Amino acid sequence: MQMLLKNAQGESSTRLMRTKSLEVDNDGDKGLTIFDEPRDVKGTAFLNHSHTIDPDDQWLYLPALKRVKRISSRNKSGPFMGSEFAYEDLSSFELEKYSFNYLRNEELNGEQTFVLEQTPKDKNSGYTKQIVWLDQLHYRPLQVEFYDRKGALLKTLKFDDYKQYLDKYWRAHTMAMVNHQTGKSTTLTTSDMAFQTGLSDRDFEKNVLKRVK
C-alpha cells in the first residue's frame, strides 16, 4: 500500500507500507501496519485490536526509540503518522460502535445509493456523526463525511477502484481522505492484496511489534 500525503500548498510526500488483518469471531478485527519507506519511518509498526463495544487496543512501535507506545482511547482522534486518517479511522468497522439513521436515497457519481447517518457511541470519538453513502447493489461505502465535535464538516473520505476477491469480498483499492479545515489530504492506494494467507492470533500479539520485518 502507498500513502500519499499532500499539504494545502500541494507539496507531497510518499510512504510505502504493508498491512495484515485477521477477522475475529464475536469481536472486532485485528490489524498490523508496517512502514517500509522512506528511511525515517522504516520499521514503524501499528497494531490495532478492534472491539465491538469496548475501546480498541492500539499500540505504535517507534524504532528510533525502540519502544512500544500505547495509544490512549482519549487520543484516538489524533492523526495517524501525520496523515489525515485518525487512529479511530483505522479501526475495523463494527455495527455495535454506532447508532444509525436512514436519511434518503441519492444518486452519487451515477450510482444509486442509500445515505445513512451513523453516530459513534464512544464518548472519546473525535466525531459527532458521519454521513455514509452506500451503493444499493452491494452495500459498499462510496463516500463518508466526518463531522467534528462542534458539528462542522471536517473530512470527506472517498472509496474507488473496487475489486472483488474470492467471488464475495469487495475491497476498495483507493481511499482518499480530504481535510476541509486544513486543505490537507491523504490517499491510500493498494497495489496487491491476498486472502486466506494463514495468519493467526500469534501474528497480532503485542510482542511482534519489535520484531516486524
Side-chain angles (χ1 to χ4, degrees):
M1 184 181 286
Q2 180 193 76
M3 174 187 279
L4 177 66
L5 308 172
K6 281 189 178 179
N7 64 17
Q9 290 73 43
E11 298 167 332
S12 65
S13 60
T14 302
R15 294 169 178 171
L16 297 182
M17 54 207 250
R18 290 169 285 136
T19 64
K20 302 176 182 181
S21 61
L22 181 72
E23 290 189 358
V24 179
D25 291 335
N26 304 314
D27 200 3
D29 299 350
K30 295 180 178 181
L32 176 65
T33 300
I34 304 156
F35 286 84
D36 294 324
E37 292 181 23
R39 186 178 298 173
D40 62 340
V41 297
K42 180 178 174 62
T44 301
F46 172 68
L47 179 64
N48 181 71
H49 291 182
S50 298
H51 302 296
T52 50
I53 299 172
D54 296 329
D56 296 343
D57 292 307
Q58 297 179 325
W59 301 269
L60 187 67
Y61 174 64
L62 302 167
L65 302 177
K66 290 187 170 58
R67 76 181 193 84
V68 175
K69 172 186 173 186
R70 185 180 179 91
I71 307 299
S72 163
S73 59
R74 293 177 181 171
N75 295 333
K76 65 188 210 172
S77 61
F80 171 66
M81 295 292 288
S83 75
E84 297 315 302
F85 286 84
Y87 284 98
E88 67 177 297
D89 300 336
L90 304 175
S91 173
S92 67
F93 177 80
E94 307 296 336
L95 288 170
E96 294 86 353
K97 291 184 174 184
Y98 302 92
S99 56
F100 296 88
N101 185 27
Y102 164 79
L103 298 179
R104 60 188 180 273
N105 289 4
E106 187 172 290
E107 186 175 300
L108 179 71
N109 300 325
E111 294 200 56
Q112 295 301 317
T113 68
F114 299 113
V115 184
L116 308 174
E117 178 184 77
Q118 59 188 41
T119 304
K121 294 179 180 178
D122 187 346
K123 66 181 187 300
N124 291 314
S125 173
Y127 311 120
T128 50
K129 66 178 180 180
Q130 300 164 11
I131 306 297
V132 183
W133 283 256
L134 292 177
D135 83 76
Q136 295 186 8
L137 190 59
H138 300 291
Y139 299 99
R140 301 171 304 189
L142 301 180
Q143 179 173 286
V144 182
E145 289 181 347
F146 298 84
Y147 289 79
D148 66 17
R149 288 178 175 144
K150 296 179 181 177
L153 176 61
L154 175 63
K155 303 184 296 192
T156 299
L157 175 61
K158 294 186 177 181
F159 299 83
D160 286 301
D161 192 19
Y162 269 100
K163 291 184 173 66
Q164 191 179 32
Y165 292 84
L166 306 181
D167 295 324
K168 54 183 174 180
Y169 303 120
W170 287 99
R171 294 294 184 269
H173 281 234
T174 304
M175 294 183 286
M177 183 80 85
V178 175
N179 188 316
H180 302 289
Q181 297 183 10
T182 65
K184 296 180 180 179
S185 67
T186 300
T187 302
L188 297 176
T189 305
T190 302
S191 54
D192 190 32
M193 190 177 291
F195 284 76
Q196 298 177 346
T197 53
L199 294 170
S200 69
D201 281 324
R202 287 182 300 178
D203 297 295
F204 298 88
E205 293 175 352
K206 181 183 168 186
N207 61 14
V208 307
L209 283 170
K210 294 182 179 180
R211 303 197 307 267
V212 294
K213 293 284 191 291

